[in-house]
Amino acid sequence: MNKITGLFFGIFFLFGASWLGLVAYPYLTFAGLRQTKDEATGALAPLPNPGIATQGARVYAANGCLYCHSQYVREKGEGNDVDRKWGTRRTVARDYMFDRQVFLGASRLGADLTNVGVRQTDPQWFYRILYAPQTLSPEVSMPAYRWLFETREIQGQPSVDAVKLEGPDAPPAGYEIVPTSEGKALVGYLLSLKKNYPLSEAPEPTE
Amino acid sequence: MSSTHEHRVEEDGHGSDGPIEQVGAEHSALRESDEPGHELPEPAKGPVPIWLLGLVGLGIFWAGAYLFSFSGGFNSDVFDFQPKFGSEGGGARSAPDPKVVGKALFSANCITCHQATGLGVPGQYPPLAGSEVETGDATNQLIAIVLKGLQGPIVIEGKPFNNAMQAWEGQYTDAQLASILTYVRSDWGNNAPPISADMVKQMRAEFKDRKEQWTWPEVQKIPPKNLTAGAAAPPAGQQKPGAPATGGQPPAPNAQPAAQPSAQSQPPAPNAQPSPQPSAQSQPPAPSPASMR
Amino acid sequence: MKEIAISEEESRAESDAGYDDRSGVDRSIRIPVLIFFGSGVFWLVLASLFYLLSSSQMFTPAAWWTFPGVEWLSFGRTYPIFFNCYVYGWATCVGIGTGIWLLSRFSGVTFRSPLFPILAACVWNVGIITGVLSLLAGATTGRELLEFPPASAFIMFLGLVVVSLWAITIIWNRRFGRMYISQWYLMGAFLWFAWMYASANLALGIGLAPGVAQPAINWWYVGSLVDLWFTPIALATAYYLIPKIIGRPIYSEKLALLGFWGLALFGGWTGLTYLIGGPLPAWMITASIMAKVLLLVPVLATAVNFHLTLKGHFGGSRGNLALRFVVIGAVVYTAYSFVGSIISARSIAEFTQFTFVTMLHRQVGLFGFYSMILFGAFYYIVPRLTNRRWLFPQLIESHFWLVVVGLGLLICSLTIGGLIQGFGLEDPQIPMIAVNDLLQPFLAIQNFGVLLLVIGNLGFAVAFTLILLISTPVRERRVATEQLNEASESTEAEVSVA
């Protein structure tokens, strides 16, 4: 092949096709997503995230949570995510339209987190898992994230956020373990992960 | 490792490193001596194996078929690669339970007067729980009241009330009113057949010339009509309050418990047959039956 | 860059001298290539250490040797550091180095002072250093293979664009009419990489793509990186080294054409197979799966081409270690592509997604295919560049076997473990924790495989250091060597991988 111009144009346009399809098209299409208003209740879906969720997403990224946790629910024919109660329906593009950072993830060493805010509404549960993941299982692969917490003396009343721990993880008497602002942000983000409102393009499976 | 080798290990065979030669200091000892102008031997003219060409053809054919059957019409709204119900739009709308919707709407406005318990306020706002107006067969009167409002003295269950209820026809759609009424007719011990959006629409059209609120005698004068009688089988989701809504199962024969105080002018329509399609009078389309999966 | 080449007369004179002064070409391109190679080896060592650390952390997160309480060495940081150092540090540096060496060989031009690639090498490495430091500090974007913050990515891009423009200009101004197969691949690689890198970082880092467009663009980039940057460089290298070492021409130019254009056509579309079942329109996922499966056509074309070229000469890899690495790499390429297409099928992906199987697949592509071929290139090029010979061939042999055995252990443990994980995930009766616990023995074997890989790579680094620092230039040993050569039909003495 001597025609270098032919080579150049071939290289350029063939790659340009995939660029158009997988970069330009999603960029333009998903910018045009809109909320819809439910006819009956008047509720908007989906809803924007609370501010703390955006801060928490940064902590999520910084600690590499996405390398073990995914955040999307597959439809019933493509996986048993719904049967596992990880969601009542599959997730679609509009579910993520307000997320500044989308962490779909590609690995499930840990549970899927799309609807973890629906499954667990108590921040205490999250604090305990982050501080001492061994409470889930002694051989769990999740590391402890103790730098999201600090141990400090109880001043007067124990703090509302104090993590309730027993055994070797419990703090010494007179001390309590409270989450730092990063820890609170992360848990705020996790609590906001709920994608269970109805969307017309994602009907709930009927079985 | 090289003892079984014929060539010297440092040779690459023809065309590259030869044995180390006596060369001038300015030249590298790792000489390579190809013909000038050719770094490598030119690629030969071997033919493409037939089976590979066959594979290319097969691949193109398969690819076309695969791409066009599983792309949902290249629609950005279609996420399931095998869209159900044959529609391009991603499938049927998921049906929120009208009672849930109705309760939400009730809690937005009606609750102010009729209270969350449905008991109203004695002397002020009439109760809805166990009320014949709500659960009786004169469903057209009930809908008329909600559409146009009510004023003046009324008597409910022997108790007098004298207040004003505003007209709600301008505030809610047919579907919304229907869901509120369905909810009211199913909570607090009430158990009456649901109201559909079509019924509300019918009444809205029938009374469209009425501009003021009803008075109680006027309401009583409307010939009572049980719009729910003669309706097709209710959508599968309609069951006794508290029962989990299960899709696809035949609806339980709609029991007529003692909560229905008044005599009914017509026997309730037989409604025990499971219908594979959502009923014509349903409001938000019913959850699709199991047979569709 | 005509101004840095020698003038036309000088270069014509050299070619008339029989074009056998390939050494002059090598000498002139030596510095930038060695900078790329040297930095590549450094990043390989760093990546290997972080790889060992991160896989130990996955296996036993609480053990003392995994630094459990240290924030900046937590798994969420060591894993991306390992992967980014490996991809952008080792793989890209050695790829660029090999690429520009190949291009300068093909162009036959001797560069007086190849400033641009030298500059590019330095800027690229500075960018990576800033990126790694940012990751240690936790300032990561949280996107696979794009974790470096936009500032670092920009610095890296500057270096990349300089060397890419330089490379493309070299190809454009080639002196001999016919372009060889490797040059097609290299032109594609440099153009595609610069384009995809700029696009992805702009769209994700600066332009903030909306919602689901982020993972779509992210995985488009990852897929394109493997198929349109690493694969072409490795194939260009193989298409050069195989015929060069065995002294026979490539079997078929038509097959090479099919291989090249097939790759160019489908390579950019394969990324979204990582998001099967994801919140993207069905057609995008279907197109990706289709492209991944159709990619088998160019892969097979290339495999057949190599096989028929090497037919009857496979024995050459017994003696020639460079060839051995390249041949193994090419074989792994075919296997890896087959596996990739199989696990893209939706019904199979249901079980293999999110598991070690997909993670392993990505790693095998890099460790087993790309790195093997580039190790071969490295072992071939460095003696020619530096005028020296490799010391301790046993070191190279052990590198080979350690990598092969380590990779084999990785493949076995993570395939079986990944399948168990996949079936466990798909069974709603098995709680998530139980699935996690089932993986322990496989993680243990994986860890051991990683250890072998790391030791092999460290051996490689040691060999490189030795050849640079201790091995004496061939000129001076020439006399002794010739005496030895005259004395015997050579056996062991001068073992080189040439």
Side-chain angles (χ1 to χ4, degrees):
Chain A
M1 204 165 45
N2 289 327
K3 294 236 151 80
I4 196 163
T5 21
L7 176 67
F8 183 81
F9 282 117
I11 287 176
F12 188 89
F13 285 110
L14 288 179
F15 189 62
S18 78
W19 183 87
L20 283 173
L22 299 187
V23 177
Y25 173 84
Y27 204 105
L28 297 170
T29 312
F30 299 123
L33 294 176
R34 297 281 171 263
Q35 289 173 304
T36 47
K37 195 164 174 166
D38 188 281
E39 269 181 25
T41 58
L44 289 171
L47 289 171
N49 298 317
I52 198 169
T54 315
Q55 296 170 22
R58 254 178 253 138
V59 182
Y60 188 91
N63 283 291
C65 310
L66 74 139
Y67 298 116
C68 295
H69 291 281
S70 62
Q71 274 189 36
Y72 64 97
V73 176
R74 296 177 291 179
E75 68 143 344
K76 220 161 145 57
E78 297 198 70
N80 281 340
D81 300 356
V82 174
D83 288 335
R84 258 193 184 275
K85 309 279 185 284
W86 278 337
T88 50
R89 58 164 178 84
R90 69 163 301 154
T91 46
V92 293
R94 277 202 296 155
D95 285 316
Y96 304 91
M97 59 186 276
F98 288 114
D99 295 350
R100 269 202 109 238
Q101 280 178 288
V102 178
F103 301 110
L104 288 191
S107 162
R108 279 182 182 166
L109 263 181
D112 180 86
L113 297 180
T114 315
N115 285 301
V116 73
V118 176
R119 299 198 292 274
Q120 305 289 349
T121 47
D122 184 12
Q124 269 297 319
W125 186 89
F126 289 106
Y127 292 140
R128 207 169 58 244
I129 296 299
L130 286 169
Y131 191 82
Q134 287 71 28
T135 51
L136 283 172
S137 151
E139 290 191 353
V140 75
S141 290
M142 175 162 162
Y145 288 92
R146 303 213 165 168
W147 51 88
L148 295 174
F149 299 86
E150 53 182 359
T151 312
R152 61 170 191 216
E153 264 194 79
I154 300 183
Q155 321 220 313
Q157 289 286 9
S159 148
V160 179
D161 292 325
V163 187
K164 302 180 180 54
L165 295 159
E166 289 113 34
D169 299 319
Y175 285 84
E176 60 179 5
I177 296 174
V178 285
T180 60
S181 60
E182 281 198 339
K184 284 192 247 196
L186 178 62
V187 173
Y189 169 73
L190 294 171
L191 283 169
S192 77
L193 291 176
K194 301 180 208 187
K195 302 205 194 302
N196 56 353
Y197 39 79
L199 286 180
S200 59
E201 64 264 32
E204 302 213 354
T206 50
E207 295 185 308
Chain B
M1 112 186 122
S2 59
S3 45
T4 55
H5 235 245
E6 298 176 300
H7 308 286
R8 288 168 216 241
V9 176
E10 68 265 26
E11 282 183 10
D12 293 342
H14 148 264
S16 57
D17 264 354
I20 316 262
E21 293 175 43
Q22 292 270 12
V23 287
E26 66 277 4
H27 289 277
S28 159
L30 298 169
R31 274 181 72 129
E32 297 170 33
S33 50
D34 271 353
E35 312 91 75
H38 292 282
E39 173 64 21
L40 276 178
E42 285 296 320
K45 302 277 183 239
V48 179
I50 287 289
W51 57 265
L52 192 61
L53 285 174
L55 206 65
V56 173
L58 205 70
I60 296 177
F61 177 71
W62 168 85
Y66 187 79
L67 184 63
F68 286 97
S69 20
F70 292 128
S71 292
F74 296 94
N75 201 320
S76 69
D77 252 350
V78 177
F79 297 88
D80 297 342
F81 72 103
Q82 286 171 313
K84 296 158 194 68
F85 320 119
S87 74
E88 296 290 344
R93 205 164 225 290
S94 78
D97 188 355
K99 295 205 206 84
V100 171
V101 169
K103 180 169 182 176
L105 289 167
F106 181 89
S107 309
N109 269 313
C110 323
I111 212 171
T112 328
C113 300
H114 293 292
Q115 309 306 314
T117 53
L119 293 173
V121 175
Q124 288 238 347
Y125 308 118
L128 306 176
S131 156
E132 183 192 322
V133 177
E134 303 304 316
T135 56
D137 286 332
T139 45
N140 61 335
Q141 293 179 351
L142 168 63
I143 296 174
I145 293 176
V146 172
L147 280 173
K148 305 289 175 187
L150 198 56
Q151 57 165 342
I154 68 175
V155 180
I156 301 286
E157 307 292 316
K159 308 227 175 47
F161 297 90
N162 191 345
N163 218 318
M165 169 164 151
Q166 71 170 89
W168 294 102
E169 62 177 350
Q171 194 119 353
Y172 289 122
T173 64
D174 297 336
Q176 289 172 323
L177 281 175
S179 64
I180 295 175
L181 289 172
T182 304
Y183 164 68
V184 165
R185 282 157 72 86
S186 67
D187 201 357
W188 316 303
N190 291 352
N191 189 4
I195 304 287
S196 73
D198 281 337
M199 298 178 202
V200 178
K201 182 167 165 191
Q202 207 180 321
M203 291 295 108
R204 201 191 280 261
E206 189 171 320
F207 296 119
K208 71 173 175 350
D209 294 327
R210 172 93 193 181
K211 294 289 180 262
E212 310 141 337
Q213 293 155 308
W214 299 109
T215 61
W216 189 240
E218 283 172 333
V219 172
Q220 303 290 80
K221 282 212 201 72
I222 304 174
K225 228 187 324 181
N226 188 353
L227 296 167
T228 61
Q238 305 301 333
Q239 299 197 347
K240 289 172 85 122
T246 51
Q249 294 187 0
N254 204 333
Q256 303 297 326
Q260 305 255 34
S262 65
Q264 310 199 352
S265 49
Q266 299 153 2
N271 53 11
Q273 290 89 13
S275 65
Q277 267 91 36
S279 81
Q281 307 217 6
S282 64
Q283 323 109 8
S288 50
S291 56
M292 290 292 243
R293 271 219 51 113
Chain C
M1 311 283 174
K2 287 203 168 72
E3 68 274 4
I4 62 170
I6 317 183
S7 70
E8 280 297 299
E9 294 92 327
E10 288 177 82
S11 46
R12 208 178 303 123
E14 277 202 15
S15 80
D16 289 339
Y19 193 43
D20 53 5
D21 191 18
R22 204 170 275 105
S23 62
V25 171
D26 285 351
R27 207 163 39 225
S28 67
I29 201 69
R30 183 176 53 196
I31 296 188
V33 176
L34 279 179
I35 297 182
F36 274 114
F37 278 8
S39 49
V41 171
F42 168 74
W43 292 118
L44 179 67
V45 169
L46 200 66
S48 301
L49 294 174
F50 273 103
Y51 186 29
L52 191 56
L53 182 57
S54 63
S55 61
S56 309
Q57 287 172 330
M58 224 176 3
F59 172 45
T60 48
W64 64 267
W65 66 83
T66 61
F67 308 103
V70 183
E71 180 179 0
W72 56 279
L73 281 181
S74 58
F75 178 78
R77 308 199 189 177
T78 57
Y79 181 76
I81 291 178
F82 139 62
F83 214 38
N84 280 277
C85 281
Y86 193 91
V87 164
Y88 298 115
W90 154 250
T92 304
C93 282
V94 77
I96 296 181
T98 307
I100 63 180
W101 180 83
L102 282 173
L103 288 177
S104 59
R105 276 269 179 125
F106 282 119
S107 70
V109 175
T110 313
F111 301 102
R112 223 194 330 251
S113 54
L115 272 180
F116 287 100
I118 295 177
L119 184 67
C122 299
V123 172
W124 179 257
N125 280 297
V126 164
I128 303 183
I129 293 173
T130 60
V132 170
L133 291 174
S134 308
L135 287 190
L136 283 170
T140 164
T141 62
R143 290 186 254 275
E144 288 264 358
L145 283 185
L146 290 166
E147 283 97 345
F148 288 158
S152 305
F154 179 66
I155 300 175
M156 289 160 69
F157 178 68
L158 287 179
L160 178 66
V161 89
V162 167
V163 76
S164 299
L165 282 176
W166 185 87
I168 294 180
T169 319
I170 296 295
I171 305 177
W172 204 283
N173 294 332
R174 71 207 181 287
R175 300 174 66 229
F176 307 111
R178 255 184 112 62
M179 280 180 67
Y180 185 65
I181 303 168
S182 301
Q183 289 169 294
W184 318 333
Y185 277 109
L186 285 169
M187 178 175 234
F190 280 111
L191 180 67
W192 291 327
F193 186 36
W195 185 345
M196 72 175 80
Y197 196 69
S199 238
N201 279 295
L202 278 173
L204 298 175
I206 304 189
L208 204 63
V212 201
Q214 287 177 27
I217 297 175
N218 191 349
W219 289 104
W220 164 82
Y221 169 75
V222 173
S224 304
L225 187 69
V226 173
D227 283 327
L228 295 180
W229 167 241
F230 290 129
T231 302
I233 293 215
L235 290 181
T237 311
Y239 268 113
Y240 178 82
L241 284 181
I242 291 178
K244 187 78 167 168
I245 293 177
I246 65 175
R248 282 166 46 88
I250 290 285
Y251 169 78
S252 163
E253 187 171 4
K254 289 200 202 71
L255 277 176
L257 274 168
L258 182 60
F260 175 73
W261 287 114
L263 186 69
L265 176 59
F266 297 122
W269 289 94
T270 58
L272 296 188
T273 50
Y274 289 102
L275 286 179
I276 294 179
L280 285 171
W283 76 262
M284 289 170 76
I285 312 256
T286 300
S288 262
I289 296 178
M290 186 197 83
K292 191 98 183 204
V293 172
L294 285 181
L295 209 50
L296 282 180
V297 166
V299 166
L300 275 174
T302 310
V304 166
N305 216 356
F306 286 151
H307 182 86
L308 292 175
T309 307
L310 280 167
K311 200 161 173 178
H313 292 260
F314 279 102
S317 19
R318 225 179 301 134
N320 193 313
L321 280 162
L323 187 63
R324 207 194 288 187
F325 273 101
V326 174
V327 168
I328 290 278
V331 169
V332 171
Y333 177 52
T334 317
Y336 148 85
S337 300
F338 262 100
V339 170
S341 301
I342 292 174
I343 64 178
S344 312
R346 281 182 159 110
S347 40
I348 311 248
E350 186 180 338
F351 294 94
T352 58
Q353 256 187 311
F354 306 118
T355 66
F356 286 129
V357 174
T358 46
M359 187 176 95
L360 169 74
H361 181 255
R362 252 178 311 191
Q363 291 182 346
V364 166
L366 284 171
F367 302 161
F369 157 53
Y370 180 79
S371 282
M372 293 302 263
I373 294 187
L374 271 288
F375 281 139
F378 200 93
Y379 284 126
Y380 184 85
I381 296 173
V382 171
R384 283 158 177 75
L385 226 46
T386 57
N387 235 352
R388 298 155 195 235
R389 295 207 182 275
W390 293 105
L391 292 175
F392 307 126
Q394 301 88 341
L395 198 55
I396 303 173
E397 277 261 12
S398 43
H399 175 214
F400 177 78
W401 287 110
L402 280 169
V403 169
V404 165
V405 173
L407 208 57
L409 283 176
L410 271 185
I411 293 175
C412 292
S413 64
L414 290 184
T415 307
I416 302 177
L419 285 173
I420 292 182
Q421 190 185 9
F423 283 105
L425 282 174
E426 282 298 287
D427 186 350
Q429 309 293 333
I430 303 181
M432 194 62 213
I433 281 300
V435 176
N436 200 265
D437 287 345
L438 281 171
L439 294 172
Q440 288 303 310
F442 302 101
L443 285 174
I445 302 176
Q446 182 241 9
N447 229 8
F448 183 62
V450 170
L451 183 66
L452 294 183
L453 267 178
V454 167
I455 297 177
N457 291 338
L458 290 176
F460 165 72
V462 166
F464 181 65
T465 320
L466 289 178
I467 193 177
L468 279 186
L469 301 179
I470 300 187
S471 185
T472 50
V474 181
R475 251 185 1 248
E476 288 148 15
R477 294 158 66 205
R478 193 185 65 234
V479 173
T481 318
E482 271 140 21
Q483 287 172 348
L484 205 59
N485 288 345
E486 283 157 12
S488 62
E489 279 301 301
S490 132
T491 52
E492 195 70 30
E494 292 297 328
V495 176
S496 84
V497 292

